Amino acid sequence: MADARFQLAQINIARMRAPLTDPIMADFVANLTPINALADTSPGFVWRLQTEEGDATAVRPYQDDRIIINLSVWEDLASLRDFVYRSAHSNVMKRRREWFDRVTDAYVALWWVPLDHRPTIAEAVERMEHLKRHGPSPVAFTFQASYPTPGAPAAASISPQ
């Protein structure tokens, strides 16, 4: 059972093969609104970073202008996992190689935040960089090597997929 004092924040990054206006990215762009709407109505969804356009594709916190981010908060790991792997979102993920370069290091970082906390872009990038430098830990972890909410019993430190 999830600890109601905490929620799960996530950042994922991707390096586009071309600018969003390029025809190669057209299907990705066409899927943004429906997939974001699906997230917004998914069980366990709390919040996502978005600009006035309704998505976060204009947010570019990395020096490489082709890296885009997605930042959101969910009630728990199970809710996020269901959205990512068991909803229509998974169909879009299957096509990611059409639009994005293969990532050779971490591209998803998860961490627990206090209830009602909305992570900043800087915080999310810092968590991603921590994961890249140090591997999974309570500071930043992955789906495959997740950590319980702060204060949970140590025996539950790493949960299987």
Side-chain angles (χ1 to χ4, degrees):
M1 178 172 220
D3 185 332
R5 297 171 300 159
F6 296 93
Q7 296 174 322
L8 185 72
Q10 75 82 30
I11 179 176
N12 65 76
I13 63 172
R15 185 173 190 280
M16 299 180 295
R17 293 181 57 209
L20 286 171
T21 55
D22 190 288
I24 216 169
M25 300 299 293
D27 280 351
F28 171 75
V29 171
N31 277 290
L32 281 171
T33 298
I35 293 300
N36 284 333
L38 176 63
D40 292 349
T41 59
S42 290
F45 172 81
V46 175
W47 171 87
R48 68 181 166 87
L49 174 68
Q50 57 185 307
T51 64
E52 290 179 11
E53 290 76 27
D55 60 51
T57 57
V59 178
R60 305 288 171 84
Y62 290 91
Q63 285 184 334
D64 184 342
D65 195 44
R66 287 209 185 151
I67 295 177
I68 57 174
I69 69 166
N70 176 286
L71 175 59
S72 61
V73 175
W74 294 77
E75 289 178 1
D76 53 39
L77 184 62
S79 297
L80 176 59
R81 184 178 282 130
D82 284 347
F83 170 72
V84 171
Y85 298 112
R86 296 182 184 103
S87 74
H89 177 268
S90 67
N91 296 326
V92 173
M93 282 190 51
K94 290 174 186 172
R95 296 183 60 197
R96 68 185 176 271
R97 297 290 173 255
E98 295 176 37
W99 309 306
F100 302 105
D101 292 338
R102 182 178 279 298
V103 177
T104 58
D105 56 4
Y107 58 93
V108 175
L110 312 173
W111 70 101
W112 295 105
V113 296
L115 186 67
D116 297 327
H117 174 73
R118 301 299 173 255
T120 65
I121 296 164
E123 175 186 351
V125 168
E126 183 178 302
R127 298 289 179 144
M128 178 66 75
E129 295 310 309
H130 188 279
L131 178 63
K132 289 178 181 180
R133 283 192 309 274
H134 305 288
S137 73
V139 173
F141 50 88
T142 65
F143 282 110
Q144 295 78 22
S146 63
Y147 284 76
T149 58
S157 318
I158 304 234
S159 64
Q161 171 92 359

